[in-house]
Amino acid sequence: MKKLKIADGIHMLTMNVDDILFEGIWEIANGVTLNSYIVQGEKTAIIDGVIGWDGVPETLYKNMEEIGVDPKSIDYLIVNHMEPDHSGWISNFRKIKDDFTVICTEKAARMVKTFYDEDRVRIVKEGDTLDLGRGKVLSFHPVPNVHWPDTMYTYERDTKTLFSCDMFGAFGRMNEHCFDDELTPEEMDFFEFEGIRYYSNVMATFTPSLKKAIEKAKTLDIRIIAPGHGPVYRKNPQKIMNDYYRFSQYAEGAGKNEVTILWGSMYGMTKKAVDFAERVLQREKVKYNKLEMPQESESAMIAAVFESAGVIIAAPTYEYKLFPPVAAALNEIGRKRITGKTAFRFGSYGWSGGAEKELKEIMERNNMKWDFIESVEFEGAPREEDLKRIETGILELLKKMKEKVVE
Ligand SMILES: Cc1cc2nc3c(=O)[nH]c(=O)nc-3n(C[C@H](O)[C@H](O)[C@H](O)COP(=O)(O)O)c2cc1C
Ligand SMILES: [Fe+2]
Ligand SMILES: [Fe+2]
């Protein structure tokens, strides 16, 4: 666990977590950080707690002591968000201290009770404040459904710091550099990509609420953004706000000027056409990602589709339906409410076809509103004329997706 001073009287405690499936699903190839913040006036508050995934808080207590904070001196536990990656240590904390108050929204209060049987809670509403003394005043700003319905921002007036929890967060472990002004250009790119993975995997479903949360952040005079996962922005907090706005557009069909080929093939018939499609994209000098399912992780697959303005789905018919790993991937994308993408499908079949029908069902069931170029299906191996039609489809896709490009 690392300890960093954010400003006078404000410390960050951060730890890298690897080797877990985030939310029990997402393979986080590059880890994730859990950040916690301590604000000291005459009274002391901790905003979100970080512990090991095993729920043992000793490391947290030890690290607090090393920055001169006696854990027993903590008066307030501010729970911005009840998800256990931020709140999991509460019941352990009760064992070492009896007289603290949890501060959270009404929705969170119910969960604090049902998850941890904790009822010494002060419920806060928009604009409520907590004066810690020595100039440190916290205010609270609910941002419901920024992940869970209970979520709020905490804002410190003296230093103009926004503690945003999941909002403005990213996957990716942090090494020495935890502030935006310390990050090298490569690390900056790394966290932008990890931000896309985090947003698309964890947050995309809640895009309408995230857009409201961006607007709410704009009403506060912010000098520092201190999220629950990923780096702290103190040089340019606007950067992560702009990134999040762009990500919200990706969730609604915009994307980078690139294509993702989401594909699968049993015996290589569809693969022949994928190889051909790649040559067309290379000739057209278009950046593309190629994700073969089920070999790729769902996390990487969702991020790639999410960030691309154009999507090529290449998959055969399997038992009168779409090749299952690709169908599962599209269902997952649908559950994340990634809507409005510009797309093109092709694939092989043996006798009846059926993949196309299921593709339409998935789109409709999830209300995805993707804009499709007419699909190309071929019997067995693709012939010259099939490849010609695929080339035409790709060129049409490239033309159409231009309207959706947001860099
Ligand atoms: C398990 C299995 C189920 C299949 N089910 C169908 C089917 O229901 N309808 C159909 O037209 N072809 C079906 N096929 C044939 C494939 O669609 C055909 O072999 C196609 O060329 C496979 O393309 P691929 O090599 O890219 O996987 C099936 C093939 C397999 C192996
Ligand atoms: Fe969360
Ligand atoms: Fe979180």
Side-chain angles (χ1 to χ4, degrees):
M1 193 178 282
K2 278 194 289 290
K3 305 165 280 279
L4 295 117
K5 187 172 167 183
I6 302 265
D8 275 340
I10 303 184
H11 282 86
M12 174 198 208
L13 298 174
T14 177
M15 69 187 290
N16 290 325
V17 180
D18 296 280
D19 304 330
I20 57 149
L21 291 178
F22 197 78
E23 297 182 339
I25 312 176
W26 310 109
E27 192 182 310
I28 36 173
N30 300 312
V32 61
T33 60
L34 304 179
N35 305 334
S36 177
Y37 299 94
I38 295 177
V39 184
Q40 288 173 288
E42 274 143 35
K43 301 264 185 187
T44 302
I46 178 165
I47 303 169
D48 305 326
V50 293
I51 50 170
W53 219 251
D54 54 3
V56 179
E58 274 66 33
T59 334
L60 176 61
Y61 303 152
K62 191 168 132 287
N63 280 278
M64 281 181 193
E65 274 158 15
E66 282 170 21
I67 53 168
V69 177
D70 173 2
K72 296 202 174 90
S73 74
I74 291 176
D75 305 285
Y76 302 104
L77 253 62
I78 294 167
V79 176
N80 274 339
H81 173 33
M82 252 299 297
E83 190 166 12
D85 56 333
H86 306 279
S87 72
W89 66 300
I90 292 181
S91 23
N92 270 295
F93 189 59
R94 179 62 80 201
K95 288 183 197 151
I96 66 156
K97 184 174 162 82
D98 202 39
D99 56 338
F100 64 81
T101 307
V102 172
I103 303 219
C104 63
T105 63
E106 193 172 0
K107 288 248 165 63
R110 188 184 163 90
M111 293 190 226
V112 171
K113 175 76 185 153
T114 57
F115 283 56
Y116 306 120
D117 200 24
E118 192 59 62
D119 46 21
R120 269 164 278 191
V121 171
R122 183 182 142 198
I123 291 172
V124 288
K125 295 198 164 60
E126 176 63 42
D128 284 357
T129 58
L130 175 68
D131 191 342
L132 296 173
R134 295 204 201 112
K136 293 282 183 292
V137 179
L138 300 176
S139 63
F140 307 102
H141 308 274
V143 280
N145 300 312
V146 165
H147 210 200
W148 286 14
D150 61 325
T151 313
M152 66 177 187
Y153 288 148
T154 295
Y155 175 77
E156 201 290 304
R157 287 183 181 175
D158 181 31
T159 54
K160 299 186 173 27
T161 305
L162 181 73
F163 300 98
S164 60
C165 201
D166 279 352
M167 191 71 191
F168 306 126
F171 283 148
R173 67 181 77 81
M174 292 197 282
N175 298 320
E176 301 104 272
H177 301 153
C178 300
F179 294 101
D180 61 344
D181 50 299
E182 299 171 338
L183 298 178
T184 62
E186 293 75 35
E187 287 171 328
M188 214 51 168
D189 288 348
F190 170 80
F191 281 110
E192 190 171 323
F193 176 67
E194 290 295 328
I196 288 173
R197 271 183 359 107
Y198 173 80
Y199 187 114
S200 61
N201 290 186
V202 178
M203 305 285 262
T205 311
F206 311 96
T207 291
S209 305
L210 267 71
K211 281 161 62 179
K212 286 187 194 144
I214 295 170
E215 288 310 308
K216 186 164 278 188
K218 282 188 194 157
T219 66
L220 299 164
D221 180 12
I222 295 171
R223 206 182 285 154
I224 302 170
I225 291 184
H229 309 282
V232 170
Y233 297 82
R234 65 181 177 189
K235 180 179 161 214
N236 185 11
Q238 195 59 46
K239 143 105 180 125
I240 190 69
M241 289 170 69
N242 293 346
D243 282 356
Y244 258 59
Y245 178 68
R246 207 172 58 257
F247 302 163
S248 76
Q249 292 178 300
Y250 293 173
E252 294 177 338
K256 295 183 185 173
N257 188 23
E258 61 188 54
V259 171
T260 285
I261 308 175
L262 178 61
W263 73 288
S265 177
M266 297 176 280
Y267 296 109
M269 297 301 135
T270 305
K271 183 176 183 297
K272 286 179 200 282
V274 169
D275 294 344
F276 172 79
E278 264 195 278
R279 290 198 294 277
V280 173
L281 292 169
Q282 284 162 4
R283 187 192 72 207
E284 297 301 315
K285 298 189 171 37
V286 180
K287 185 173 177 232
Y288 65 93
N289 318 297
K290 207 175 130 195
L291 290 106
E292 183 180 8
M293 303 311 290
Q295 284 83 339
E296 293 285 346
S297 74
E298 297 267 294
S299 167
M301 179 278 296
I302 290 184
V305 170
F306 173 82
E307 71 168 19
S308 300
V311 183
I312 292 176
I313 297 158
T317 293
Y318 178 100
E319 295 177 358
Y320 306 99
K321 293 189 170 185
L322 185 63
F323 184 53
V326 172
L330 288 169
N331 265 313
E332 194 59 52
I333 291 165
R335 290 160 73 112
K336 292 290 165 197
R337 300 196 193 151
I338 298 172
T339 57
K341 292 287 178 191
T342 307
F344 171 51
R345 173 188 167 256
F346 56 81
S348 174
Y349 66 97
W351 59 93
S352 59
E356 192 60 20
K357 183 162 171 278
E358 196 190 7
L359 174 66
K360 291 207 170 84
E361 284 164 8
I362 293 169
M363 289 292 146
E364 261 156 49
R365 187 169 60 244
N366 294 295
N367 200 15
M368 289 163 83
K369 302 192 178 73
W370 284 26
D371 189 1
F372 273 89
I373 311 294
E374 196 184 338
S375 299
V376 175
E377 295 219 279
F378 45 91
E379 251 181 281
R383 312 265 173 256
E384 200 51 49
E385 63 267 23
D386 302 317
L387 297 178
K388 201 90 217 117
R389 286 196 296 148
I390 288 172
E391 180 177 8
T392 307
I394 293 172
L395 294 177
E396 211 179 311
L397 175 83
L398 296 181
K399 197 163 143 215
K400 211 166 193 184
M401 70 183 235
K402 279 210 172 74
E403 298 155 27
K404 296 291 189 76
V405 171
V406 175
E407 295 283 355

